[in-house]
Amino acid sequence: MITRRNFCKKTMLLVGGMAVPLAALELFDPKKLLADKSDKDKVRWVFLVDTTKCVGCGFCVKSCKIENEVPYDANVTRTWVERYIITKDGATHIDSPKGARDGFETSQIDLGEGKFLDIKKEDISKAFFVPKLCNQCDNPPCVQVCPVGATYQTEDGVVLVDRSWCIGCGYCIMGCPYGVRFFHPVYRVAEKCNFCYHRITKGMKTACVDACAFGARQIGNLKNPDDPVTKIIMTERVNVLKEEYGTKPQVFYLGLTKEVK
Amino acid sequence: MVHGELWTVKELFVYPNEYIYWTIQIVMYPFMTGLVAGAFVLSSLYHVFGVTQLKGIARFSLVFSFALLPVAMLPLMLHLLQPQRGIEVMMTPHFTSAIAAFGIVFSTYGMIVASELWFVYRKHFVETAMELRQLGDRTFSQHLRHLLFSALTLGAMDISEHALEKDEKAVKILAGIGIPVACFLHGYAGFIFGSVKANALWMTPLMPVIFICSAVVSGIALCMLTYIVTMEARKLIAAWKRKQYPELPSPEELKSAEVHVVTMTAKYLIMFLILAITLELLDLIFRGYTAVKSWDILRSVIYGRDFVNIFVIQYGMGNLVPFIIFLLPRLTIKRAVAGTLMVLLGVFMMRWNVVIGGQAFSSSFAGFMHYHLPIWPHDMETFKEGLFGALTVIVTPFILFWFLDKVMPVFKETH
């Protein structure tokens, strides 16, 4: 005879027993199986910076500010250009006044606190410019540390910030080894370069790429073998910034030297 | 002006977006959380490990820990640029983030302390509720008190010997669970910093342990200090009241109890102080010995720019001097007050040197940033991230403690 207690027990066992294989099924995500080749048409946005071509005009910084509504006079920027002057005594001098928004108007190096350094031309051993922007890391520390998930990574690899969700704690700013993040002066939430996501997803180039008259900046799709950027990354000697942090940056540099910080 | 620009001065090459983003409130946050954890550990020494000499301060530190609890969250709220969204940390926790653990650990810990307090004070709640119930015509305030205390009993009116024994057992169990949770609460505050791999000063697995040890030190020190101050106040009140009620304990009786408790507590303080200093020095020596890429800039900050803050104020005034003060024989109340004040200064400076010192150099390793603490507030931001914001955080637990003492009298037994 089936008692009520027995019935309950058996029902529980049955439900539990059925739940186990069902749960196991859920653990399998066919999309993530290595054998799956269906993602060949997908996109992975990458950036290529040719430091040998950059002249430090700052058009990229200007265009970025205008395109992305970062207040023009605010001392923060989504992208900037650094000037490196290495003197014959081996010293490295770096500056980026206002992120090079107006280019480099003087040959003096900005030391901060209103001080400037004059370097004689004959003392210079080499000098060059390095544009910087968010590295759209494959292993982004900013996404890892965001306590509310306001910073997230899209499937095509771009890291975005949800302005309506960010609480403004600054943990992502602290977590980024590249110093690309800042608080937007108007929206008062974390802000950074997003590869002009609103443009690239419509088939356009980023504002900075469009503004660069020298071809120092290029954006491409790493998953498309015919993409000129992909071809360069695959065949030339490219490098990334601060690889030691394990962030797997997706902004590749041509002509990067050891002095670049 | 962008956030941080007002109080940051840059020198040499600093990335354009870098400013001192984590300011005094983030110094206050681990400091206050540390006090919470430390106060709880002190009370547990009696409840769990049966250190009966600490009975006098155990109940006090438990209530004080509870008063400090909401204040651990206050600096975080004051620091957020979107404080109205702060609750989202609880609503949409992102489990890869160390801060997201805050909500969970904090509420778990809060519940443990609240339940422990309830068991400790249940007898008092019941007695007070019964007393008020028996009053025929209650005034409005008495009526409110009656409602409050009746609610606080949660309907458990049994205060027989057997029931109270059970209460004591529950307190012991809760305090036992509370110790690891309290350590975790502060350990993960250290983890928040220690896991930021982009910051060369913070990035060390020792950070959570260092934070826990200094937390216990600061918590014990603050409890000692507040205990002494409260006892002094009680002595004055007792002397004044004895004129009317000679049966009350004399100031001398109160004083002897006080010295005894303070000497015993000081021993535990010294123990944790040694542990904290050892770990901090170990971290420093290890960094110097391994001298990885970041050591050049760290060395210039530690031994150069922050030398006074680290070696003179933190290690010298905050650790060495109180160490001597407490180790010298025949500890007096005055010396204990001086010692605890200096220990608190030392722990505060440790937090300062970690939080502000960690941002004193650029991620480029080629430049420096200086933090100028906003003193007089001229807008909400300079208030929140300035001296007065920090003072607000410091004062709040004492106000809360005063209110809590009305409901849960800390010194009831000796009244």
Side-chain angles (χ1 to χ4, degrees):
Chain A
M1 191 188 121
I2 295 178
T3 60
R4 188 157 48 174
R5 178 182 289 266
N6 241 333
F7 175 74
C8 290
K9 247 183 177 177
K10 288 208 167 123
T11 316
M12 295 282 273
L13 263 176
L14 186 73
V15 172
M18 276 168 71
V20 171
L22 279 176
L25 272 179
E26 266 182 41
L27 289 176
F28 265 101
D29 186 356
K31 280 186 204 159
K32 286 181 185 157
L33 289 178
L34 279 174
D36 181 58
K37 299 285 179 200
S38 63
D39 69 341
K40 63 183 172 206
D41 294 321
K42 285 216 183 124
V43 180
R44 203 322 168 185
W45 296 108
V46 288
F47 210 88
L48 182 69
V49 177
D50 191 342
T51 56
T52 59
K53 287 181 181 167
C54 180
V55 299
C57 65
F59 281 7
C60 50
V61 182
K62 256 191 191 116
S63 65
C64 172
K65 282 206 155 191
I66 295 163
E67 173 71 28
N68 292 299
E69 293 171 330
V70 175
Y72 196 70
D73 285 321
N75 284 322
V76 280
T77 173
R78 285 177 165 213
T79 184
W80 69 90
V81 182
E82 293 166 5
R83 168 169 64 177
Y84 285 76
I85 296 178
I86 290 104
T87 46
K88 284 176 181 160
D89 59 0
T92 306
H93 305 277
I94 320 162
D95 73 346
S96 180
K98 273 199 170 283
R101 186 195 69 186
D102 307 319
F104 294 87
E105 294 169 310
T106 158
S107 62
Q108 290 177 316
I109 285 278
D110 185 357
L111 296 177
E113 294 180 310
K115 290 179 203 151
F116 292 89
L117 175 73
D118 246 332
I119 300 175
K120 287 180 196 151
K121 271 187 185 163
E122 56 268 27
D123 291 337
I124 298 173
S125 106
K126 61 177 170 182
F128 52 89
F129 300 100
V130 179
K132 295 265 182 88
L133 69 165
C134 172
N135 285 275
Q136 311 294 350
C137 310
D138 236 11
N139 181 21
C142 53
V143 172
Q144 183 189 17
V145 300
C146 177
V148 290
T151 282
Y152 60 100
Q153 193 174 25
T154 59
E155 280 198 356
D156 43 12
V158 180
V159 176
L160 302 177
V161 185
D162 185 342
R163 279 182 183 161
S164 67
W165 210 246
C166 171
I167 59 174
C169 66
Y171 204 12
C172 58
I173 300 178
M174 292 296 153
C176 175
Y178 307 99
V180 297
R181 285 178 163 257
F182 55 96
F183 281 123
H184 195 289
V186 179
Y187 301 110
R188 296 176 66 77
V189 289
E191 173 80 6
K192 67 178 228 4
C193 158
N194 60 359
F195 276 181
C196 285
Y197 201 63
H198 56 289
R199 290 169 65 98
I200 56 171
T201 46
K202 287 179 191 147
M204 298 158 80
K205 301 273 182 209
T206 67
C208 59
V209 169
D210 270 352
C212 184
F214 306 93
R217 286 171 177 256
Q218 292 179 67
I219 188 152
N221 172 14
L222 197 64
K223 292 211 173 148
N224 176 9
D226 300 324
D227 192 308
V229 171
T230 311
K231 277 184 182 167
I232 294 174
I233 293 170
M234 293 304 181
T235 56
E236 307 257 336
R237 280 175 277 180
V238 290
N239 214 334
V240 291
L241 293 170
K242 301 187 182 185
E243 203 185 1
E244 65 274 18
Y245 286 102
T247 55
K248 297 178 187 151
Q250 298 297 308
V251 172
F252 296 89
Y253 283 84
L254 273 168
L256 205 63
T257 70
K258 66 180 173 62
E259 290 88 1
V260 177
K261 308 278 184 185
Chain B
M1 198 171 261
V2 297
H3 184 77
E5 199 174 350
L6 193 71
W7 49 75
T8 310
V9 175
K10 295 183 179 186
E11 189 189 341
L12 298 173
F13 178 62
V14 175
Y15 291 139
N17 296 334
E18 279 186 311
Y19 293 97
I20 306 271
Y21 286 110
W22 281 3
T23 56
I24 183 99
Q25 291 299 353
I26 301 300
V27 178
M28 294 308 295
Y29 159 63
F31 185 64
M32 300 314 282
T33 323
L35 294 175
V36 176
F40 185 81
V41 169
L42 180 61
S43 84
S44 301
L45 286 174
Y46 166 69
H47 290 301
V48 181
F49 302 110
V51 185
T52 43
Q53 293 98 321
L54 293 180
K55 193 182 174 190
I57 204 167
R59 179 184 285 201
F60 172 85
S61 48
L62 185 63
V63 178
F64 201 50
S65 173
F66 196 59
L68 281 163
L69 199 59
V71 188
M73 208 153 71
L74 191 63
L76 282 186
M77 289 306 288
L78 285 171
H79 167 72
L80 294 185
L81 285 194
Q82 300 285 347
Q84 79 285 3
R85 295 184 196 158
I87 193 73
E88 281 169 17
V89 178
M90 312 282 274
M91 301 307 194
T92 55
H94 197 231
F95 287 106
T96 58
S97 169
I99 292 185
F102 182 79
I104 300 155
V105 181
F106 183 82
S107 16
T108 312
Y109 177 74
M111 283 187 285
I112 289 172
V113 181
S115 338
E116 192 178 333
L117 274 173
W118 185 77
F119 282 114
V120 169
Y121 280 100
R122 200 177 65 85
K123 185 172 170 240
H124 170 70
F125 295 153
V126 174
E127 281 172 356
T128 319
M130 299 290 262
E131 228 170 78
L132 289 163
R133 194 170 295 176
Q134 274 154 15
L135 287 177
D137 44 339
R138 290 189 285 261
T139 60
F140 182 66
S141 72
Q142 278 173 334
H143 184 67
L144 282 182
R145 268 170 64 83
H146 176 237
L147 280 179
L148 174 71
F149 279 96
S150 302
L152 281 173
T153 60
L154 299 178
M157 306 300 276
D158 183 5
I159 47 169
S160 64
E161 192 106 327
H162 179 65
L164 290 178
E165 256 173 42
K166 273 192 170 176
D167 282 1
E168 240 169 75
K169 207 175 167 191
V171 168
K172 200 170 180 172
I173 293 169
L174 284 168
I177 304 168
I179 295 175
V181 180
C183 288
F184 195 71
L185 178 74
H186 201 65
Y188 99 86
F191 189 88
I192 288 177
F193 293 99
S195 62
V196 178
K197 59 184 170 186
N199 192 304
L201 186 80
W202 297 345
M203 175 64 186
T204 162
L206 276 183
M207 197 62 94
V209 199
I210 292 175
F211 265 57
I212 291 170
C213 289
S214 53
V216 178
V217 170
S218 64
I220 295 179
L222 186 66
C223 279
M224 267 173 82
L225 182 69
T226 321
Y227 180 75
I228 293 169
V229 173
T230 326
M231 289 297 266
E232 286 298 318
R234 285 184 70 227
K235 254 182 275 171
L236 287 176
I237 297 166
W240 178 68
K241 273 192 179 171
R242 254 170 75 89
K243 287 173 192 163
Q244 282 180 308
Y245 308 102
E247 73 276 8
L248 280 172
S250 70
E252 286 71 34
E253 278 170 320
L254 286 172
K255 197 170 187 172
S256 65
E258 189 185 349
V259 173
H260 181 66
V261 170
V262 167
T263 318
M264 192 63 200
T265 320
K267 279 186 187 156
Y268 285 94
L269 180 70
I270 287 285
M271 207 172 77
F272 283 104
L273 192 62
I274 293 170
L275 215 59
I277 302 169
T278 315
L279 284 169
E280 279 170 48
L281 290 178
L282 180 69
D283 180 47
L284 194 64
I285 294 164
F286 194 83
R287 283 170 190 276
Y289 191 78
T290 52
V292 291
K293 192 181 165 190
S294 57
W295 177 241
D296 271 343
I297 194 133
L298 281 186
R299 186 175 48 198
S300 64
V301 169
I302 295 169
Y303 295 117
R305 285 153 201 275
D306 279 1
F307 183 84
V308 175
N309 278 355
I310 295 176
F311 291 99
V312 179
I313 309 182
Q314 184 190 329
Y315 287 123
M317 287 165 69
N319 292 342
L320 189 66
V321 178
F323 196 68
I324 297 166
I325 287 180
F326 286 119
L327 276 187
L328 286 175
R330 289 184 296 281
L331 183 68
T332 60
I333 292 294
K334 271 182 195 159
R335 246 170 58 201
V337 169
T340 48
L341 277 173
M342 290 180 115
V343 165
L344 283 171
L345 171 77
V347 176
F348 179 81
M349 282 315 289
M350 181 256 164
R351 311 294 195 234
W352 178 280
N353 293 332
V354 167
V355 176
I356 306 297
Q359 297 171 86
F361 55 91
S362 163
S363 302
S364 68
F365 294 165
F368 300 95
M369 283 181 283
H370 310 281
Y371 172 54
H372 291 282
L373 176 78
I375 308 285
W376 286 110
H378 49 79
D379 56 13
M380 200 53 192
E381 200 155 282
T382 41
F383 168 74
K384 276 163 54 175
E385 313 266 7
L387 180 69
F388 284 87
L391 288 177
T392 311
V393 173
I394 290 174
V395 171
T396 316
F398 295 99
I399 299 170
L400 287 177
F401 181 68
W402 187 78
F403 279 113
L404 279 177
D405 187 54
K406 300 273 163 218
V407 184
M408 295 180 277
V410 172
F411 300 104
K412 196 199 168 206
E413 277 181 345
T414 46
H415 266 284

